[in-house]
Amino acid sequence: MKISVIGCGYLGAVHAACMAELGHEVIGVDVDPAKISALEAATAPFFEPGLPELLASANASGRLRFTTDISEVAEVDVHFIAVGTPQKKGEFAADLTYVDAAVTSLLPYLRDGALVVGKSTVPVGTASRLAELVASAPVDAMLAWNPEFLREGFAVKDTLGPDRLVYGVSSGESGTRAVSILDEVFEVALAHDTPRIITDYATAELVKVSANAFLATKISFINAMAEIAEATGADVTQLADAIGHDARIGRRFLNSGLGFGGGCLPKDIRAFRARGEELGLGDSLAFLGEVDAINLRRRSRMVDLTREVLGGSLDGKRVAVLGLAFKPDSDDVRDSPSLDVAMRLKAEGATVIATDPEAIETSRRLHPELDYVRTAAEAVVGADAVLVLTEWKNYRELVPTDLDGAAGRIILDGRNCLDRERWRSAGWLYRSLGRP
Ligand code: UDX
């Protein structure tokens, strides 16, 4: 099929490359010329395992091209909207400017029978409004909502082999046509028995935001238990293991630590709450305010713990921060708990030496005032305390002799990812969030 992907950020660039990999003829469109030239040169504008290889093979196949000129999509059958829906400045609600602009810019170039497919995460009610906009085009075009559940770090795998497909379509004949077009797009995944849920626009939109709300709640639940564990001498990681054996609960997404960040969970739960209030249903989603508050308290707790182990003040102390990305296998520092903690330590007078396997450049762009070094061994030189804030594999595997350069033998595990006994038996003071 001929496919366009409007918006070539984390979601769109991966989606475009994966659609080409599946055999479709794809054109990626973005307003940012720098992003487009990088993608044309098969360079991923962000770190995502597997993406550079996929871009190179798709570009070489001739099935993937990129442009800043929206008029080049005129021959396309299916247009995916993959632009961002960031949090509005000073508000919790989502900013729909880019989604609205993307759909509006497409209208003059829609051909008869074209399908516009929303993938961006939007407040419930957006798709039915956009469907009216698409219906105002001079041709017979349709809208579907097909939310994306990809995780950064696994984006290629999640896009090529999704664990479910959700199609939000209109009722009647045009909805049936939309379903058969989407089935053709996702033929390969469907042949592998990927579950497919066909539903209305509102349910499709809600599937995405409620999935993220559930995941955020699960993380904040275990972090609330960590607060209780800290006060009572219990061990939150053993607690998670034990309750996780109950198949109804499950162990995944019960890792307690610094909490969630990134470009999705924080802003999505806030936008969901804001939408609930707009709908007069604030009480139904008020708990998400607690989920957010518990999550943000983990960062303060980490700073408090660092101050405590360093004798009550951070002023003049040298602290090594290992990990800046919001999670491993990503260079994304949007709303990163680790970077936030690093900045708070600095604000209290500490000298922070920070490192990350991939996220130094992205961190530097936001916070040039921090000191960055390439490796953990460099970061710890002369450090009074070492903080592991993102659980990259190479930090999880550190052994005490790797950090011989540190001045103090204090290690704080912000992700409960280190072997406590290994560090204690080597004479280090090991502290973590939620464990004695
Ligand atoms: C998330 C959703 O998982 C994905 O389905 C959606 O499409 C986009 O948002 P992502 O932002 O890539 O994906 O990251 P995810 O793996 O969900 O992790 C989010 C945050 O939660 C990270 O900061 C991570 O460190 C934290 N986390 C995750 C925990 O603190 N504990 C856990 O047990 C799991």
Side-chain angles (χ1 to χ4, degrees), residues 148-152 208 212 215 219 253-255 259-261 264-265 326-327 391 415:
E148 181 57 61
F149 305 102
L150 66 78
R151 298 158 299 165
E152 288 178 28
K208 175 61 196 252
N212 277 355
L215 293 172
I219 299 168
F253 262 70
L254 275 186
N255 291 328
F260 59 83
C264 292
L265 298 190
F326 85 104
K327 68 172 191 182
E391 69 279 30
R415 295 288 177 178

Side-chain angles (χ1 to χ4, degrees), residues 73-94:
V73 305
E75 298 299 310
V76 163
D77 312 300
V78 187
H79 305 272
F80 283 99
I81 306 295
V83 293
T85 50
Q87 189 176 333
K88 276 186 188 167
K89 284 211 165 43
E91 283 179 53
F92 277 180

Side-chain angles (χ1 to χ4, degrees), residues 138-255:
V139 292
D140 179 21
M142 304 158 286
L143 179 94
W145 214 262
N146 168 230
E148 181 57 61
F149 305 102
L150 66 78
R151 298 158 299 165
E152 288 178 28
F154 301 91
V156 172
K157 184 175 162 284
D158 287 350
T159 307
L160 290 174
D163 51 16
R164 78 284 212 192
L165 288 165
V166 176
Y167 303 171
V169 295
S170 60
S171 54
E173 190 270 333
S174 69
T176 312
R177 269 194 290 148
V179 169
S180 62
I181 295 173
L182 287 170
D183 278 352
E184 214 175 319
V185 172
F186 296 117
E187 195 184 349
V188 175
L190 292 171
H192 287 92
D193 295 329
T194 304
R196 181 190 67 162
I197 290 112
I198 297 171
T199 185
D200 50 80
Y201 292 142
T203 307
E205 294 167 314
L206 279 173
V207 168
K208 175 61 196 252
V209 286
S210 59
N212 277 355
F214 188 87
L215 293 172
T217 304
K218 201 169 176 188
I219 299 168
S220 278
F221 172 82
I222 201 64
N223 283 333
M225 295 308 107
E227 294 182 341
I228 307 296
E230 270 162 37
T232 56
D235 183 327
V236 75
T237 59
Q238 288 188 321
L239 172 80
D241 291 343
I243 63 173
H245 281 300
D246 183 333
R248 295 169 303 174
I249 297 173
R251 180 63 179 81
R252 294 178 70 190
F253 262 70
L254 275 186
N255 291 328

